Amino acid sequence: MQTQSNPQGAMKIKREGSGGSSGSRSEPAANKWQYQGTHMGYTTELDPILFDVSPSEQMIYQKSDRRNAFLIHQTSTTRYKESQRSLFQSIAQIVGSQGPALIQHFRAINRSLPIIEDTFFQVHESPRRHTLDPALLCAIYVVAAASGAHELENARWQNIDLLRLEEMAFALFDTSIVNPTLPTIQAGLLLMQRSDIDTKYLNTQLVGAAFEIGLHLDCSAWKISAFERGLRKRLAWALYMEDQWCSLVHGRPAMISKVHWAVDELEDEDFEATDRSQDAATAADSKLGRDCFCQMVALTEILSSILETLYTQKAMQEFDEAGENGTRLVLSKAKPIQVTLKEWFTRLPKDLKMDNGQAPATIGHLHLAYFATEITLHRCIIRSLSSTPTDIYLTHVCRSAAKARLISAMEFVNRLRPIHLTSFWYFPSRVNFALIATFGSLLLATAPCQEEADFYRARLSEYRWALSVSAKSAGFLSFALESLESSTDLLKAMPSKPKLDDLDVRQIPPPPPPPLTRLIPPPEDELEDDETMEDGTIDESIDASTDVQSMPMSVPPAGGHFADGFMSPSSSAWSAPASYGPYIGPFAGLGAPNWFDQEHHGSPEAERMGLWAG
């Protein structure tokens, strides 16, 4: 992109013809990107069509395609208050001689979050390093230093004044966001990875800056190089993920709506080609990182569907207005999403699965995000059970499915090893770890009997112990521990629940008679492999919602009694057949072997409570 300044300071930029051909993969010089002015919206005081009749010599705008135009920033001031050389010297004073080592470490992180182009690292190693964007360089140092400080072999990085470096990074970002560019978005996305900042305000700034430079637009027909097009798409989807996960962890509406999102899905050509000089291990890690990034994008789209379907103010109002049918309405809306989530999991590439703990070190955040997404789906269902009068069997099925998901999530955390914990973790991970405890506390608070409450209390004690051990390798887990302690304090005032033996037998449902097609179990070889989760359990959430919604509800004759002496499960009182005995549902196996591996994960609290059974 060629630029020149006139005496008044207005920047004149060539029209779209100055860009590279759409099929070119030539890499532009550092910071030389197209379309970095202000995107002109379709309802502003300047209609984009007016630019088509504007004299070409004015050069105050740039057309990316027939629909979109960018108004070029007109300023006579420099981008930063200080010269870039001066800023680079200030940054170098903080990182000292560790700059190259930090860059090398960040390149490994960049394979999991591929938002920095290879040319940046090439320029950094050349005499032209002062042409790089200072805000981006400082953000890279911050992320690398904060990550490397957890690794014993890089303990020397702990001598870097990380607080001072972070303050400078945010100061540079605040300056650059006035006239945002692609490096501004890159720097902001990296700063979002810091686990100890309030990301919702930074996310708001980033989304606004992204709209300013048109990252939400379809750039497939723009006259830009394939290299820049791929970078734009990766940054756009990285920002989309940041926004949706910010919505989850902060409980706020997302800033980005899919109706205003025109970015194409990521393809292999949107990622930079593997450097032939890389060794086989590095090349494999690069491919793994690309696959993980794309799968995280797909999972985030499912999360977005959950938030838009179950957690909007309009949706929650509909659930409330449905009264005693609220849970069934929630299930009807959740069912398609649950199916999609199951398909996402079963289609994961083999390299991205976590089998028996033998998994790549860099994919922990992906599986944690999966469990957080499932928990978000089930939280809405469990809340609906507690807020509306619901059929007892329906309650049992929903709570059983929720219990299975909680145990699976806890077992996943138990399988993590130091090699996983010291790797890159996506920014919402610290809250996602906490959401597992939150879900357990929710199930404890809504438990119908004391035995069930004790079960979840024991599981939370186990989880607290696992987090305290893992926090020695991953300091960001301290947030999950603090969150668990807060939930525990709130539960201290919870009234005692009735014992199972004290419950009215009429409140304990018998299992419903199975359909004739289910009386004969299928052969074991007909059980689909994809119905078994990575922890060996069956995902009941899909079948639960299907069975509950499709199960015919018996209508009792006059007086509420059936011919055989039973009453409808939806009636206020009914008797279970004596042949069934007390039906205690998912807690019938409390004496069975514990969910966790005692050899590796047994805690003193669990042993003292006598929860181990051989």
Side-chain angles (χ1 to χ4, degrees):
M1 183 175 65
Q2 299 179 5
T3 64
Q4 66 182 57
S5 299
N6 63 11
Q8 286 75 31
M11 185 166 292
K12 297 184 177 182
I13 300 186
K14 279 191 175 183
R15 291 176 182 264
E16 57 183 11
S18 63
S21 64
S22 60
S24 171
R25 292 202 64 84
S26 59
E27 299 175 353
N31 298 336
K32 300 299 183 181
W33 306 110
Q34 291 275 40
Y35 312 125
Q36 297 203 103
T38 298
H39 175 251
M40 300 304 298
Y42 312 123
T43 57
T44 63
E45 74 282 1
L46 292 176
D47 195 285
I49 292 182
L50 299 180
F51 295 120
D52 293 336
V53 298
S54 174
S56 59
E57 60 271 9
Q58 289 191 9
M59 300 290 194
I60 62 172
Y61 69 93
Q62 195 174 25
K63 289 294 292 291
S64 59
D65 53 30
R66 65 178 182 82
R67 182 184 294 119
N68 297 294
F70 290 81
L71 193 64
I72 303 308
H73 297 147
Q74 300 190 30
T75 177
S76 58
T77 60
T78 58
R79 185 169 174 78
Y80 297 100
K81 294 180 180 180
E82 302 179 47
S83 67
Q84 291 195 189
R85 287 184 180 274
S86 176
L87 291 173
F88 269 72
Q89 292 175 357
S90 299
I91 296 173
Q93 290 177 356
I94 301 176
V95 300
S97 62
Q98 302 304 320
L102 290 172
I103 291 293
Q104 188 63 29
H105 179 67
F106 176 80
R107 299 192 73 163
I109 297 174
N110 194 53
R111 289 193 281 272
S112 297
L113 188 66
I115 62 173
I116 307 300
E117 68 282 5
D118 286 342
T119 50
F120 180 93
F121 305 114
Q122 296 169 5
V123 173
H124 183 269
E125 296 172 357
S126 74
R128 297 182 297 116
R129 64 173 60 92
H130 65 275
T131 63
L132 296 173
D133 188 272
L136 177 55
L137 178 64
C138 201
I140 288 175
Y141 283 155
V142 166
V143 172
S147 172
H150 295 301
E151 300 182 19
L152 296 179
E153 63 268 27
N154 294 323
R156 63 182 183 278
W157 292 355
Q158 297 179 5
N159 296 326
I160 296 176
D161 190 342
L162 186 57
L163 179 60
R164 182 183 170 197
L165 185 64
E166 191 174 82
E167 289 177 349
M168 186 173 187
F170 276 101
L172 293 173
F173 173 79
D174 289 341
T175 301
S176 67
I177 204 169
V178 176
N179 292 322
T181 61
L182 293 184
T184 303
I185 304 299
Q186 291 171 310
L189 289 172
L190 291 177
L191 292 176
M192 286 279 288
Q193 305 309 312
R194 295 290 292 123
S195 61
D196 56 351
I197 66 170
D198 193 345
T199 54
K200 59 178 177 287
Y201 298 111
L202 179 55
N203 178 69
T204 302
Q205 289 180 295
L206 270 179
V207 173
F211 288 161
E212 190 83 354
I213 61 176
L215 274 187
H216 61 299
L217 305 175
D218 178 13
C219 64
S220 59
W222 293 8
K223 292 185 178 180
I224 56 178
S225 68
F227 174 81
E228 181 175 348
R229 183 178 297 108
L231 178 62
R232 272 184 165 269
K233 290 177 66 175
R234 298 198 308 274
L235 289 178
W237 282 112
L239 180 68
Y240 177 82
M241 289 193 293
E242 302 275 2
D243 181 57
Q244 300 303 313
W245 286 99
C246 259
S247 175
L248 173 71
V249 302
H250 295 299
R252 301 289 188 269
M255 304 290 294
I256 297 176
S257 171
K258 289 303 288 284
V259 298
H260 294 295
W261 189 255
V263 185
D264 284 346
E265 297 293 333
L266 288 170
E267 301 176 357
D268 289 342
E269 63 184 19
D270 296 321
F271 294 87
E272 296 183 83
T274 302
D275 188 348
R276 294 182 179 179
S277 63
Q278 291 180 345
D279 56 63
T282 302
D285 288 344
S286 297
K287 182 182 183 304
L288 184 72
R290 292 195 299 268
D291 292 344
C292 187
F293 184 78
C294 290
Q295 291 296 332
M296 188 69 181
V297 170
L299 179 63
T300 302
E301 292 187 272
I302 299 175
L303 172 68
S304 177
S305 297
I306 294 174
L307 298 178
E308 293 177 357
T309 304
L310 302 178
Y311 286 92
T312 63
Q313 293 299 315
K314 183 177 180 180
M316 289 186 287
Q317 184 177 4
E318 290 178 354
F319 300 150
D320 292 340
E321 293 174 351
E324 62 184 24
N325 293 318
T327 298
R328 295 185 182 276
L329 179 59
V330 172
L331 289 172
S332 68
K333 291 180 177 292
K335 169 72 177 296
I337 304 176
Q338 177 69 70
V339 172
T340 303
L341 186 58
K342 176 186 177 183
E343 291 175 348
W344 175 90
F345 182 84
T346 57
R347 293 175 181 174
L348 275 179
K350 183 178 180 180
D351 292 342
L352 294 181
K353 291 189 177 289
M354 296 192 72
D355 298 325
N356 302 319
Q358 303 300 320
T362 57
I363 66 172
H365 71 279
L366 177 67
H367 287 261
L368 177 63
Y370 162 72
F371 283 114
T373 303
E374 277 215 326
I375 284 173
T376 303
L377 188 69
H378 283 275
R379 283 177 75 181
C380 186
I381 298 172
I382 296 301
R383 286 176 182 170
S384 70
L385 294 173
S386 62
S387 61
T388 59
T390 306
D391 177 87
I392 299 176
Y393 175 67
L394 176 61
T395 299
H396 158 65
V397 171
C398 293
R399 291 189 65 86
S400 295
K403 173 196 173 187
R405 293 300 87 215
L406 174 68
I407 297 303
S408 295
M410 288 181 169
E411 179 62 19
F412 159 77
V413 176
N414 278 319
R415 289 201 303 267
L416 295 175
R417 297 296 179 261
I419 190 175
H420 300 117
L421 295 169
T422 55
S423 296
F424 170 77
W425 287 85
Y426 195 47
F427 88 95
S429 295
R430 72 164 189 159
V431 179
N432 288 346
F433 277 106
L435 289 181
I436 297 175
T438 300
F439 192 44
S441 298
L442 173 63
L443 290 171
L444 191 161
T446 56
C449 62
Q450 189 62 43
E451 287 83 352
E452 185 174 344
D454 290 342
F455 175 85
Y456 287 119
R457 189 173 287 108
R459 300 287 74 74
L460 289 173
S461 295
E462 286 290 320
Y463 190 58
R464 179 185 292 106
W465 179 83
L467 288 177
S468 64
V469 173
S470 298
K472 299 175 182 178
S473 300
F476 65 88
L477 290 179
S478 59
F479 177 84
L481 277 169
E482 294 171 1
S483 176
L484 178 54
E485 293 303 326
S486 297
S487 298
T488 301
D489 289 341
L490 293 174
L491 289 170
K492 288 180 179 179
M494 183 177 67
S496 298
K497 297 180 181 293
K499 292 283 188 179
L500 187 62
D501 293 338
D502 297 335
L503 287 178
D504 189 337
V505 70
R506 293 171 297 181
Q507 299 180 21
I508 306 175
L516 292 177
T517 55
R518 296 191 180 184
L519 291 178
I520 303 176
E524 293 184 2
D525 57 358
E526 291 184 9
L527 181 63
E528 296 182 6
D529 293 338
D530 63 359
E531 292 184 1
T532 302
M533 305 305 288
E534 62 182 355
D535 54 2
T537 62
I538 301 297
D539 185 358
E540 301 178 22
S541 53
I542 297 175
D543 291 335
S545 59
T546 301
D547 292 345
V548 169
Q549 296 178 77
S550 61
M551 184 179 66
M553 297 303 295
S554 303
V555 180
H561 294 269
F562 291 100
D564 57 2
F566 300 125
M567 297 184 65
S568 166
S570 59
S571 304
S572 59
W574 61 287
S575 299
S579 59
Y580 282 110
Y583 182 71
I584 57 177
F587 303 97
L590 282 177
N594 194 57
W595 294 97
F596 301 137
D597 180 1
Q598 181 180 4
E599 179 180 356
H600 299 289
H601 307 296
S603 69
E605 293 87 350
E607 295 175 352
R608 186 165 55 251
M609 297 175 68
L611 293 173
W612 302 115

